[in-house]
Amino acid sequence: MTRRIFIVNAALAAALTVGVASAQQVLINAGGATFPYPIYSKWFDEYHKKFSNIAINYASIGSGGGIAQVTAGTVDFGASDGPMTDAAIKEFQDKRGSAILHFPTVLGADVPTYNIPGVTASLNFTGEALAGIFLGKITKWNDPEIANANPGIKLPSTNIVVVHRSDNSGTSFIWTDYLSKVSKEWEMKVGRGTGVNWPVGLGGKGNEGVSGSIQQTANSIGYVEIAYAIQNKMVYGKVKNPAGEFIQASLASVTAAAAGMKDMPEDFRVSITNAPGKGAYPISSFTWLLIPSKIADPAKKKAIKDFLAWMLADGQKMTEALTYAQLPKAVVTKELKAIDKIQ
Amino acid sequence: MSATAPTAFEARPSGRASAFWQRLRSGDDIAYVITLTCALTILALAALLVFELYTNSTLPREKFGWSFLTGTTWDPVVGQFGALPFIYGTVVTSALALLIGIPLGVGAAIFLAELAPTKVSNGLTFLIELLAAVPSVIFGLLGIFVLVPALVALEPAIRAVLGWTPLFSGPFYGVSMFSAGVVLTVMIIPFIISISREVILAVPTEQREGALALGATKWETTWNVVLPFAKKGIMGSIFLALARSLGETMAVTMVIGNEPKIHESLFAPGYSIAAVIANNFAEASDALEKGALIELGLVLFGLTILINGLARVLVLSTTKKGAR
Amino acid sequence: MLSLRRKTVNAVMLSLTGVCTFLAVGTLLFVLGYLFFHGGTSLTLDFFTKLPTPVGEPGGGMANALLGSAKLLLLASCIGIPIGFLGGVYLAEFGGSSFSFVVRYTTDLLNGVPSIVIGIFAYTLIVLPQGHFSTLSGGLALGVMMIPIAIRSSEDFLKAVPVSMREGAMALGASKAKTIFTVVIPAAKAGLITGIMLNIARVAGETAPLIFTAFGNRYWSPGWEQPTAALPVMIYTYAISPYADWKQQAWSAGFVLLMLVLVINVSARMILSKRGHVAR
């Protein structure tokens, strides 16, 4: 009997250890933000089809995870929905001995989604309304701040149930960044971050948890990524931008937010929430790849640089189908030049 | 296992050296050493784990000291962290899971071991053991999409029966400590049923026959004879179940509401230690927050020591009363 | 004659146990049924043979995750089961009371550590020094999780073997070791296998420890030193995505994971028993 076990185990071990090996394969490991995972997986897959010896393996471990792992050197590059802070950049410099570069890839947006029995229209929200709701100061749906922006829609006098993200995420960063810009009170009381001390509300895990909670709780409101809302055909509201328009988040309005930004800094670390310009959706953001400026392995370096160039050209054409907004042309041009910074 | 007693298999050699070799050949000492080493790995692992948790949480420990245990704020932006709401949530959800799970699990084990025909019993147990393999994530998804709406529908009934207690007061949004407790119950039941059933089956038939011969009913036999015999094993399964519920991450975080506040009512949302670590660790790029999460892991370790200690005292006190 | 009260108590309590079983089995059948309808019915051969494709592209599968999970479980079992089992033997057969108490206590503590903490533990101990993610670190993390469960369940089942059997063997002149390995363990075999199966089942579905160790891989992962895909991690990643296509695959993967554990369960029972069935 023991012999039988041994033989079976040995056979299993041998079979599983063989696996599928490929010659000359350049395997690049990357990890980071969950939000762009669908488009990244599409890109890396398409790129692998073009150059079958280059395999870029991306895992969504979260923006913070991406920053942490690229700093620890366990992945070749990272990805994050929020730009790295100065302290984080310095830490990378100290640990890895080179600078870290940010490369925007696509644009995303957060949308306010809600479940009010009897209301199927897309409501208008001002920045003050959203801040008030999430601060817990606006507690009823028929509050003047909301009602005045929606003449002609009958809002009930029920209590608003707020739903936010419980897990740290880039989506929360974008939302709180926006609220900090439109409300001094929010900025002082709560602030911006991938995770904050929410004054009110239930926490849902992931977009999944938030949308699930909203679907099952009458009179609730929360925020999810635009791709999520569109793919799941959720009702979401319009938000007022600095130009005074109530804009519905769409691929066009999100790209407009990026285009409306006047000075793109050299290192591409910028927040475009509450961006000026007509047709701009105010709760938009870039998402970045975090690439070390010095890459030791020449094969990996060439692969990454080529990929970036491809991503800025052919890659951008694939974004719309997956509900991501393209980068504006000005940003693309700047980035193409920045690729040379990778040594 | 004395070296001086003659065995049926070997003649007794003379001299100290050959006595040593004989002891070795008899295998007892080898078996002793090998199994002892394996048992020691547990202690080594635990020590290493505590060491790692301790050294990686120096920042928050120095900043907060013992007030970490009583603090109720969790604010990454300003760097203020406190563990109390998470301790509360962990204890409440696990207690609820055990409260429902133990009677349900042991009851089902009794049925499967004593009453059900063998084939049915084997088949059902096989399937129940499969439940243990369902990934936490799936339980979490089933939790949000099936359990929570079901509980929302059942809420009026529950409130009618139990609404007079503060435990079931206040608004109910579906995601709550109650939902988390129920999900945990479903997750720990396979362990309790499977192991309890095996241990009950292992009770020698003579014991049962003896009681029945004295005129006891089937239930009396089970309760007064079989269960006490099987008690240690059943307790073992409960400890396993308790451990699972204290450390369960994914499923809990999807249905507990994730609000780091202490509420009296089970209908209110809450937060558990494992859930907050899982939610925030990957994204925590700030060293203080990471350290605070690791300190929470240390706190859970301490909590487990306490709860296990209390449970053992409970077991010891009930065992002293009964025979065995 | 049996009093009415005793008869009633008997009937009521035994029916209650039936109710408990009904509830437990009912929940289980519901979970399995749900998984089957959501995941099993849309299962195609592609799932088992193809690599993952980006969302919306048909024909994707999780072949690499299946292999990855199998490798991880194999490594974890090779570490966790022997150490845990032999530790359980020590506690049941040799242990003095205070040392055993400490070991048992510590085992229960380790069982209660959240899986994510074990993952972070393995990350600090293996991934950081090595500088990369790997199947090895994932298997080790899972193995560490298996040890305390194995100790606890082995000890329980070994202890359940009646003292009379041990005494009988020793009266025949067998040494302690021989008694253990030729009498006690075979007598406890059914329970021991149950314990091992529960252990593998539990660990097969763990996600959190793998996120920081095995990491994940969209491609094949040869050998043991590269990151690898695993079914639970794929389920998690796909289930929280917004795309119906991926969510569907998540349910399918959940169903397949269950079937994988079932296959391990059945084959283990067949291999480890004489004459092809576990005597009961």
Side-chain angles (χ1 to χ4, degrees):
Chain A
M1 179 180 102
T2 350
R3 210 154 37 108
R4 257 193 277 171
I5 307 173
F6 185 72
I7 294 175
V8 169
N9 265 331
L12 262 176
L16 292 176
T17 319
V18 167
V20 177
S22 348
Q24 289 288 67
Q25 187 162 65
V26 182
L27 176 69
I28 298 173
N29 286 312
T34 332
F35 156 67
Y37 182 58
I39 183 68
Y40 286 178
S41 67
K42 174 98 179 142
W43 279 345
F44 298 137
D45 200 69
E46 289 293 320
Y47 201 70
H48 182 62
K49 283 192 196 139
K50 270 187 92 138
F51 303 100
S52 58
N53 63 323
I54 299 182
I56 305 180
N57 172 33
Y58 181 87
S60 39
I61 54 178
S63 300
I67 297 174
Q69 298 313 323
V70 76
T71 311
T74 51
V75 294
D76 298 304
F77 63 89
S80 170
D81 292 332
M84 287 171 75
T85 57
D86 292 332
I89 293 180
K90 177 152 191 331
E91 191 183 349
F92 183 87
Q93 180 87 36
D94 294 338
K95 279 213 174 115
R96 299 255 77 83
S98 74
I100 181 97
L101 303 168
H102 288 66
F103 284 91
T105 50
V106 288
L107 288 157
D110 284 359
V111 298
T113 166
Y114 46 84
N115 173 2
I116 310 173
V119 176
T120 49
S122 171
L123 294 176
N124 293 332
F125 292 102
T126 58
E128 290 78 16
L130 290 174
I133 294 173
F134 277 81
L135 276 169
K137 308 195 81 176
I138 297 181
T139 52
K140 295 203 181 290
W141 275 112
N142 61 352
D143 187 288
E145 184 69 46
I146 309 175
N148 290 345
N150 294 286
I153 300 185
K154 179 123 182 31
L155 291 167
S157 60
T158 46
N159 287 336
I160 304 180
V161 180
V162 174
V163 183
H164 55 78
R165 288 284 287 270
S166 59
D167 46 325
N168 286 358
S169 82
T171 316
S172 291
F173 183 83
I174 301 172
W175 189 257
T176 52
D177 183 47
Y178 170 73
L179 288 181
S180 299
K181 285 190 183 165
V182 296
S183 163
K184 272 268 163 301
E185 188 178 355
W186 179 274
E187 192 176 19
M188 282 197 312
K189 259 184 119 173
V190 188
R192 55 169 62 80
T194 52
V196 298
N197 190 14
W198 300 93
V200 292
L202 306 168
K205 179 163 174 57
N207 284 302
E208 196 68 36
V210 171
S211 75
S213 282
I214 293 179
Q215 274 166 24
Q216 281 150 34
T217 315
N219 304 305
S220 57
I221 182 171
Y223 60 91
V224 292
E225 291 156 12
I226 180 178
Y228 202 85
I230 292 181
Q231 290 285 342
N232 287 285
K233 304 188 180 14
M234 298 170 78
V235 172
Y236 58 94
K238 306 185 179 75
V239 184
K240 195 173 190 185
N241 68 5
E245 314 158 301
F246 284 101
I247 303 284
Q248 178 108 27
S250 68
L251 300 182
S253 58
V254 170
T255 309
M261 190 198 44
K262 291 297 165 228
D263 297 302
M264 174 62 106
E266 281 306 311
D267 62 358
F268 298 107
R269 294 160 60 209
V270 68
S271 153
I272 55 169
T273 50
N274 219 26
K278 285 189 69 80
Y281 180 71
I283 320 184
S284 311
S285 168
F286 285 111
T287 182
W288 293 264
L289 286 181
L290 306 168
I291 313 212
S293 61
K294 276 196 186 39
I295 301 178
D297 183 325
K300 284 188 182 176
K301 180 167 64 185
K302 181 174 185 330
I304 292 177
K305 289 175 85 157
D306 289 344
F307 170 75
L308 283 174
W310 176 88
M311 180 272 286
L312 290 165
D314 293 341
Q316 290 295 307
K317 303 198 182 89
M318 300 176 189
T319 59
E320 312 256 316
L322 288 174
T323 336
Y324 290 91
Q326 302 190 31
L327 299 171
K329 297 221 180 340
V331 176
V332 170
T333 325
K334 236 182 158 142
E335 274 189 69
L336 282 166
K337 290 206 204 101
I339 297 181
D340 295 330
K341 285 197 197 152
I342 303 176
Q343 306 289 310
Chain B
M1 61 168 239
S2 157
T4 52
T7 69
F9 314 108
E10 293 116 345
R12 181 184 166 223
S14 54
R16 279 184 62 217
S18 26
F20 172 74
W21 281 113
Q22 200 219 339
R23 278 179 72 186
L24 213 55
R25 268 193 295 156
S26 79
D28 280 358
D29 284 346
I30 299 183
Y32 181 74
V33 167
I34 293 180
T35 55
L36 178 63
T37 319
C38 291
L40 283 173
T41 49
I42 277 283
L43 296 180
L45 276 174
L48 197 57
L49 185 68
V50 174
F51 176 72
E52 285 287 327
L53 287 176
Y54 196 76
T55 47
N56 286 323
S57 61
T58 4
L59 260 174
R61 270 187 301 108
E62 277 166 14
K63 185 164 181 201
F64 303 113
W66 287 105
S67 68
F68 186 71
L69 290 174
T70 49
T72 51
T73 326
W74 189 268
D75 193 335
V77 177
V78 302
Q80 185 67 28
F81 300 107
L84 199 59
F86 308 104
I87 298 177
Y88 179 76
T90 308
V91 170
V92 167
T93 48
S94 298
L96 190 62
L98 282 179
L99 217 67
I100 307 177
I102 295 179
L104 211 63
V106 176
I110 294 175
F111 182 84
L112 288 171
E114 300 283 318
L115 296 173
T118 327
K119 284 219 172 87
V120 170
S121 176
N122 284 349
L124 285 179
T125 313
F126 194 72
L127 289 179
I128 289 177
E129 283 167 15
L130 266 190
L131 249 189
V134 175
S136 300
V137 186
I138 302 268
F139 274 117
L141 291 175
L142 282 171
I144 318 180
F145 290 120
V146 176
L147 180 72
V148 164
L151 286 179
V152 170
L154 279 175
E155 183 220 351
I158 303 175
R159 221 184 260 280
V161 176
L162 294 162
W164 51 273
T165 57
L167 280 180
F168 287 97
S169 57
F172 182 58
Y173 297 117
V175 290
S176 62
M177 288 193 282
F178 183 63
S179 314
V182 173
V183 168
L184 279 177
T185 311
V186 177
M187 295 179 81
I188 64 175
I189 273 187
F191 293 96
I192 300 182
I193 294 182
S194 175
I195 295 179
S196 301
R197 172 183 166 272
E198 284 293 349
V199 177
I200 291 176
L201 282 172
V203 172
T205 19
E206 303 87 54
Q207 299 285 336
R208 292 188 185 82
E209 286 167 359
L212 289 171
L214 287 171
T217 61
K218 182 119 184 135
W219 171 254
E220 284 164 356
T221 314
T222 311
W223 185 254
N224 295 310
V225 176
V226 177
L227 280 188
F229 230 87
K231 195 190 335 225
K232 280 226 169 91
I234 298 180
M235 287 298 175
S237 77
I238 294 177
F239 278 114
L240 258 181
L242 171 68
R244 175 105 205 240
S245 64
L246 284 173
E248 181 47 49
T249 327
M250 293 289 176
V252 169
T253 182
M254 285 174 151
V255 298
I256 199 174
N258 298 320
E259 195 187 36
K261 294 197 175 62
I262 299 181
H263 293 281
E264 216 181 11
S265 168
L266 288 175
F267 276 162
Y271 220 158
S272 78
I273 295 179
V276 70
I277 298 178
N279 274 334
N280 297 351
F281 195 79
E283 292 278 349
S285 42
D286 155 70
L288 185 63
E289 188 178 6
K290 260 208 178 110
L293 290 169
I294 293 185
E295 191 177 355
L296 270 181
L298 200 59
V299 168
L300 183 61
F301 211 77
L303 196 65
T304 320
I305 293 182
L306 217 77
I307 296 181
N308 269 293
L310 286 170
R312 276 195 164 64
V313 165
L314 195 72
V315 169
L316 273 174
S317 63
T318 55
T319 319
K320 276 200 187 116
K321 282 187 224 149
R324 193 89 181 85
Chain C
M1 255 332 0
L2 226 42
S3 78
L4 186 63
R5 192 189 75 88
R6 286 172 65 198
K7 271 194 190 155
T8 325
V9 167
N10 189 48
V12 165
M13 293 312 272
L14 291 179
S15 332
L16 273 181
T17 61
V19 168
C20 294
T21 315
F22 178 72
L23 281 174
V25 172
T27 319
L28 151 83
L29 286 179
F30 177 77
V31 171
L32 286 183
Y34 200 89
L35 263 183
F36 178 71
F37 278 113
H38 268 78
T41 46
S42 54
L43 216 48
T44 61
L45 193 60
D46 278 349
F47 186 91
F48 296 95
T49 50
K50 297 276 175 62
L51 288 176
T53 55
V55 63
E57 272 177 48
M62 294 200 190
N64 58 342
L66 276 168
L67 186 62
S69 273
K71 283 161 78 169
L72 287 167
L73 279 179
L74 183 68
L75 181 58
S77 306
C78 287
I79 300 171
I81 293 177
I83 298 182
F85 172 67
L86 290 174
V89 168
Y90 176 83
L91 284 181
E93 305 293 324
F94 292 111
S97 69
S98 45
F99 180 68
S100 298
F101 178 76
V102 171
V103 174
R104 225 172 271 128
Y105 207 88
T106 317
T107 308
D108 286 336
L109 292 184
L110 276 179
N111 266 330
V113 175
S115 49
I116 182 138
V117 174
I118 305 266
I120 299 170
F121 180 61
Y123 170 78
T124 329
L125 282 182
I126 308 167
V127 175
L128 279 184
Q130 276 199 325
H132 61 88
F133 299 103
S134 60
T135 313
L136 186 71
S137 57
L140 282 174
L142 292 180
V144 165
M145 286 188 75
M146 286 182 96
I147 294 178
I149 303 178
I151 289 191
R152 222 20 174 123
S153 58
S154 309
E155 186 203 353
D156 282 342
F157 290 117
L158 288 170
K159 276 222 167 106
V161 173
V163 178
S164 46
M165 289 187 88
R166 290 190 184 81
E167 287 171 350
M170 293 190 126
L172 286 172
S175 68
K176 187 139 182 158
K178 234 186 179 79
T179 314
I180 298 174
F181 288 100
T182 58
V183 174
V184 180
I185 291 179
K189 188 159 57 179
L192 289 173
I193 295 180
T194 304
I196 294 177
M197 286 302 116
L198 276 179
N199 207 346
I200 295 183
R202 157 86 191 270
V203 159
E206 288 290 342
T207 320
L210 295 176
I211 298 182
F212 293 109
T213 48
F215 192 61
N217 201 331
R218 304 283 290 179
Y219 310 98
W220 295 108
S221 168
W224 300 89
E225 286 295 327
Q226 289 191 24
T228 181
L231 278 177
V233 181
M234 294 290 270
I235 295 174
Y236 178 64
T237 315
Y238 278 19
I240 61 173
S241 76
Y243 305 102
D245 162 39
W246 272 5
K247 289 210 262 246
Q248 182 55 58
Q249 284 198 40
W251 288 109
S252 301
F255 182 72
V256 168
L257 183 62
L258 219 56
M259 292 298 111
L260 179 72
V261 171
L262 185 79
V263 164
I264 296 177
N265 208 330
V266 166
S267 20
R269 278 174 204 267
M270 283 199 323
I271 294 174
L272 290 171
S273 68
K274 299 188 177 112
R275 289 162 229 250
H277 76 97
V278 177
R280 161 50 65 209

